[in-house]
Amino acid sequence: MEIMGYPMETVYLTGLIVFGCITFLYVLVSDLIHGAFEVFSHILSPTLVLSFFTIWSAGGYLLETMTSVNSFLVSGISAGSALILVSLLNIFVLIPLASAEASLNYAEEDLRGRIGKVITSIPSNGFGEVFIEGISGNIAKTAVSHDNEPIGQGSKILIVEVKSGVVHVMPYEQTALL
């Protein structure tokens, strides 16, 4: 079968090269041009659409060159396998990546009540630095003493509040439970 005078192998190979290059470029610059595709991203992700056509072209090219099956059947098999592979890509790669990216963020209000450690001593009327360990990563924040009392390096602290990106802390005293 031919399309506009070109054999199907040529059409599939050209599609593979073109869609493969566009997919690669989109993945590289998607953060820069993300706003341009925001209207479509709720319905269809450009990454998934481009990946579908790349896989469809690759499957079509391989089946056209390696088998003697009817071109319509080749196109259908390629489209079906591309749909399955793109669905798996979405479920097992893109969705977990999107949720992992969001889980690394934290709001400053979330720091209230957390326990940390002083890594740079906090003078009575000055700034120091505290280290807070968490599941999603470690955070180092500028800190001041809530009661204007000096807190030495290595001391455990409790974050009382956060103002303008600076945590207000007090020494942490653990009570024994019976």
Side-chain angles (χ1 to χ4, degrees):
M1 183 172 164
E2 293 183 352
I3 293 182
M4 296 183 353
Y6 295 103
M8 287 305 291
E9 293 89 355
T10 306
V11 173
Y12 284 127
L13 184 58
T14 304
L16 174 62
I17 293 168
V18 169
F19 286 117
C21 290
I22 293 172
T23 303
F24 181 71
L25 290 174
Y26 178 76
V27 168
L28 289 179
V29 297
S30 62
D31 289 336
L32 299 175
I33 60 173
H34 181 67
F37 296 104
E38 198 163 313
V39 174
F40 302 110
S41 64
H42 298 293
I43 300 166
L44 291 173
S45 167
T47 304
L48 294 175
V49 172
L50 291 170
S51 297
F52 173 82
F53 284 114
T54 303
I55 295 169
W56 176 67
S57 298
Y61 177 72
L62 289 174
L63 288 173
E64 282 286 342
T65 56
M66 295 180 165
T67 65
S68 61
V69 178
N70 183 351
S71 294
F72 290 112
L73 187 59
V74 166
S75 182
I77 292 170
S78 298
S81 62
L83 184 65
I84 291 169
L85 290 173
V86 167
S87 298
L88 293 173
L89 172 73
N90 189 35
I91 293 169
F92 292 113
V93 177
L94 297 179
I95 291 174
L97 279 178
S99 63
E101 183 178 322
S103 70
L104 295 178
N105 295 331
Y106 66 93
E108 289 190 343
E109 301 87 40
D110 296 340
L111 296 177
R112 288 183 55 203
R114 304 244 337 240
I115 299 169
K117 187 176 184 180
V118 177
I119 55 176
T120 303
S121 296
I122 304 171
S124 58
N125 285 320
F127 295 95
E129 191 172 14
V130 295
F131 182 75
I132 305 133
E133 292 183 27
I135 295 171
S136 62
N138 300 324
I139 306 164
K141 296 290 283 181
T142 302
V144 295
S145 175
H146 184 66
D147 302 324
N148 287 329
E149 295 178 11
I151 304 174
Q153 181 179 358
S155 302
K156 279 191 167 185
I157 52 92
L158 175 68
I159 299 174
V160 179
E161 63 183 330
V162 182
K163 290 182 182 174
S164 302
V166 177
V167 293
H168 294 247
V169 300
M170 60 186 294
Y172 176 70
E173 299 170 5
Q174 188 171 1
T175 58
L177 297 174
L178 296 176

